[in-house]
Amino acid sequence: MSQSIIPVKIREHLIPFFYEEFKGVEAHYLNKRVKACKISMTSSIGKMLRITLEKSGYPLKEIDKIGKFNMYIAVSDSEASKTASAKIYKYVSGQYSFLKVPYQVAEDINDILEDQFRIAFVNRVKGALRFSPKTKVQDIISDFMVEYSLDEYGYKIASLQRLYNRSVAENKTMSRMQSKVSNRVLNYKG
C-alpha cells in the first residue's frame, strides 16, 4: 500500500497539546520529536474524517475499508527555534483512490480540536482547584502553559484566565460544543 497524504494543517498551539495527549509511537527524526498517532475509523474524529473526505479525480473503491487515519505530529527539539507541524494522512492504494479534505472541513477539524483543547484546559483548572482549593488559578494556568509550551505560540496567562472565567460563568463546560465556534482564537484565520 502506498501512503497518500491528506493535508490538514493543524493550528500550531494545538500541536504540543495533542502531541502529549494522543497515544502514538514516538521517535526522533532530524532534530525533531515526532509522533504518529493512529485514529480509528470508529472513533468520533475518525468518523468525521471519513464522511468529509471528497473524491479528487478518480473513483473511490471501498471507502468503508479505509481502516485508520494517522496524525503525524512533529515538534522541534532545537532551543533556538521552536517549531511544530502536524498532518493527517491515511494509507490507500493509489490505484483506487485519491482523496482530499476540503478547506472548510480542515477548518472544522481545527475547530473541533480547539474545543477539545479548551474543554481539557478548563477541566484541568477546575479539577486542580477542587483538590487543592488554596492553589491560585494563575499558578494552575502557568503550569498548563509550561506543560504544552503555549507561551511559544503567543498565549498569555491573562488571556487563558479570561477564557477560564467565561467558562466558569457559563457553568457548563461542554456547552461550547453546542455554540457557534468563536473566531477569538489565537492564530485563527477565518
Side-chain angles (χ1 to χ4, degrees), residues 37-118:
C37 308
K38 292 184 178 167
I39 300 172
S40 169
M41 293 309 296
T42 58
S43 71
S44 56
I45 293 175
K47 287 176 185 177
M48 188 194 71
L49 288 170
R50 185 182 70 214
I51 63 172
T52 59
L53 292 175
E54 287 185 359
K55 295 178 188 177
S56 177
Y58 295 96
L60 176 65
K61 293 184 182 179
E62 305 181 73
I63 182 87
D64 292 330
K65 293 186 180 179
I66 290 174
K68 293 180 188 154
F69 283 92
N70 292 284
M71 179 180 274
Y72 178 79
I73 303 172
V75 179
S76 171
D77 275 341
S78 170
E79 288 300 319
S81 65
K82 291 257 185 190
T83 59
S85 65
K87 288 185 181 174
I88 295 175
Y89 66 91
K90 71 177 199 69
Y91 291 106
V92 296
S93 167
Q95 121 186 53
Y96 295 120
S97 66
F98 291 90
L99 301 174
K100 67 178 179 177
V101 175
Y103 172 78
Q104 186 55 51
V105 173
E107 287 297 304
D108 293 345
I109 290 168
N110 272 285
D111 291 342
I112 288 170
L113 294 175
E114 184 74 37
D115 285 346
Q116 292 172 338
F117 166 77
R118 288 177 175 215

Side-chain angles (χ1 to χ4, degrees), residues 62-186:
E62 305 181 73
I63 182 87
D64 292 330
K65 293 186 180 179
I66 290 174
K68 293 180 188 154
F69 283 92
N70 292 284
M71 179 180 274
Y72 178 79
I73 303 172
V75 179
S76 171
D77 275 341
S78 170
E79 288 300 319
S81 65
K82 291 257 185 190
T83 59
S85 65
K87 288 185 181 174
I88 295 175
Y89 66 91
K90 71 177 199 69
Y91 291 106
V92 296
S93 167
Q95 121 186 53
Y96 295 120
S97 66
F98 291 90
L99 301 174
K100 67 178 179 177
V101 175
Y103 172 78
Q104 186 55 51
V105 173
E107 287 297 304
D108 293 345
I109 290 168
N110 272 285
D111 291 342
I112 288 170
L113 294 175
E114 184 74 37
D115 285 346
Q116 292 172 338
F117 166 77
R118 288 177 175 215
I119 290 167
F121 162 70
V122 170
N123 284 333
R124 170 80 63 88
V125 176
K126 282 182 175 180
L129 289 173
R130 180 173 290 140
F131 290 103
S132 183
K134 293 181 182 180
T135 305
K136 293 181 180 178
V137 172
Q138 292 85 357
D139 293 341
I140 300 166
I141 292 171
S142 177
D143 183 57
F144 188 85
M145 286 180 62
V146 168
E147 183 175 354
Y148 299 113
S149 305
L150 295 178
D151 56 336
E152 299 287 335
Y153 303 99
Y155 276 81
K156 306 279 185 235
I157 291 175
S159 63
L160 288 173
Q161 174 87 48
R162 283 190 300 276
L163 172 85
Y164 174 74
N165 290 342
R166 275 194 310 269
S167 178
V168 168
E170 291 173 2
N171 197 26
K172 303 287 184 216
T173 307
M174 294 299 290
S175 67
R176 87 168 280 108
M177 307 266 312
Q178 295 175 271
S179 305
K180 181 180 177 193
V181 175
S182 171
N183 65 352
R184 292 166 45 178
V185 175
L186 195 61

